[in-house]
Amino acid sequence: MTTPDPRRLAEAFPFWPQLSDSDKHLLLDNTQIHTYRQGDNVHSGRACTGILLVLHGQLRVFLLSDEGREITLYRLLDRDICLQSASCILKSLTYPLQVDAEKDTELYRIAPEAYKEISNRYAQAGTFLAETVSTRFAEAMWVMEQSLFVKFDRRLAAFLLEQAALDEGDRITLTHDQIARHLGSAREVVSRMLKYFQTEGWVSVSRGGIQLLAPEKLQELSQ
């Protein structure tokens, strides 16, 4: 198995320089490299999968209801960390997240027990844990607020712009069903709104995807 690169952990954890050599080795010895193909499930529910550090790729963090409805909370890109996948060290701050690979992804998975041992010895590690979880929780609450109180046309416009930025272009290849799952809506609602956007000349919808024709209009609507 490939040995984890300590420079990656040093970039991810601001408290790394304060660790003793033995504690640095403790984290390294409890870090494994994993690769996932697009569409693979990385973490499910309240399982204590471990702390995830994305080396390269893209992960989708979302909620899944008992009825099968989904809503995306946030994405994880290169050098991002997911701590909520280590539920056994978060006590009351857990909720049943799902994490899937949106692109082929390579990541480090750090054993939660090792991180907990470090955080017990170093206040900086515990502070980093709390601050990171708080930030992600705020992102999740923002998404839920948008879902409850913001009109769907604004949410869809914002999503199309965000997805185009992630894809580094003006063409989106997601299906209507995939977009609906991101936004916690129904495929029919997405299709109807995209048809309206197309009538306005803002997008072009085809079997191959969605072409953004007037991103400035979508930006105006999303605000």
Side-chain angles (χ1 to χ4, degrees), residues 111-125:
E113 298 83 2
Y115 190 95
K116 184 176 182 180
E117 188 174 334
I118 294 295
S119 63
N120 287 339
R121 286 203 283 271
Y122 297 87
Q124 302 96 320

Side-chain angles (χ1 to χ4, degrees), residues 29-215:
D29 291 343
N30 285 276
T31 298
Q32 295 181 339
I33 300 174
H34 290 265
T35 58
Y36 296 90
R37 304 289 294 178
Q38 181 179 1
D40 286 349
N41 179 255
V42 179
H43 169 78
S44 182
R46 301 185 187 277
C48 201
T49 302
I51 295 169
L52 308 178
L53 169 59
V54 180
L55 302 178
H56 60 80
Q58 183 173 308
L59 302 179
R60 173 189 176 225
V61 182
F62 62 101
L63 290 176
L64 175 64
S65 74
D66 292 338
E67 297 76 27
R69 291 279 294 275
E70 300 177 11
I71 186 168
T72 298
L73 300 179
Y74 49 86
R75 267 78 169 262
L76 297 169
L77 308 177
D78 295 3
R79 295 187 295 278
D80 281 343
I81 290 179
C82 183
L83 293 168
Q84 286 88 340
S85 51
S87 59
C88 51
I89 61 174
L90 295 176
K91 298 181 180 179
S92 61
L93 294 177
T94 62
Y95 43 101
L97 291 178
Q98 304 287 330
V99 182
D100 283 355
E102 284 196 301
K103 298 179 179 178
D104 291 349
T105 299
E106 184 177 40
L107 56 80
Y108 284 166
R109 194 166 77 188
I110 302 167
E113 298 83 2
Y115 190 95
K116 184 176 182 180
E117 188 174 334
I118 294 295
S119 63
N120 287 339
R121 286 203 283 271
Y122 297 87
Q124 302 96 320
T127 299
F128 176 76
L129 174 70
E131 290 178 347
T132 302
V133 170
S134 177
T135 297
R136 293 303 186 190
F137 185 75
E139 292 180 55
M141 289 301 98
W142 183 86
V143 168
M144 300 308 294
E145 180 183 356
Q146 296 287 303
S147 176
L148 290 171
F149 303 119
V150 176
K151 292 176 62 177
F152 186 74
D153 58 348
R154 292 179 57 192
R155 294 175 56 217
L156 179 57
F159 175 80
L160 293 177
L161 292 169
E162 176 190 359
Q163 188 63 43
L166 285 173
D167 292 344
E168 299 180 339
D170 56 7
R171 185 169 186 79
I172 296 168
T173 58
L174 296 178
T175 66
H176 295 192
D177 183 63
Q178 287 173 315
I179 295 173
R181 285 189 277 122
H182 276 291
L183 295 176
S185 184
R187 180 184 58 79
E188 295 78 9
V189 176
V190 171
S191 298
R192 187 162 58 246
M193 192 58 65
L194 285 173
K195 184 176 181 180
Y196 167 71
F197 286 180
Q198 182 167 252
T199 301
E200 292 294 312
W202 301 344
V203 304
S204 175
V205 181
S206 66
R207 288 186 178 275
I210 302 164
Q211 186 79 29
L212 304 192
L213 302 178

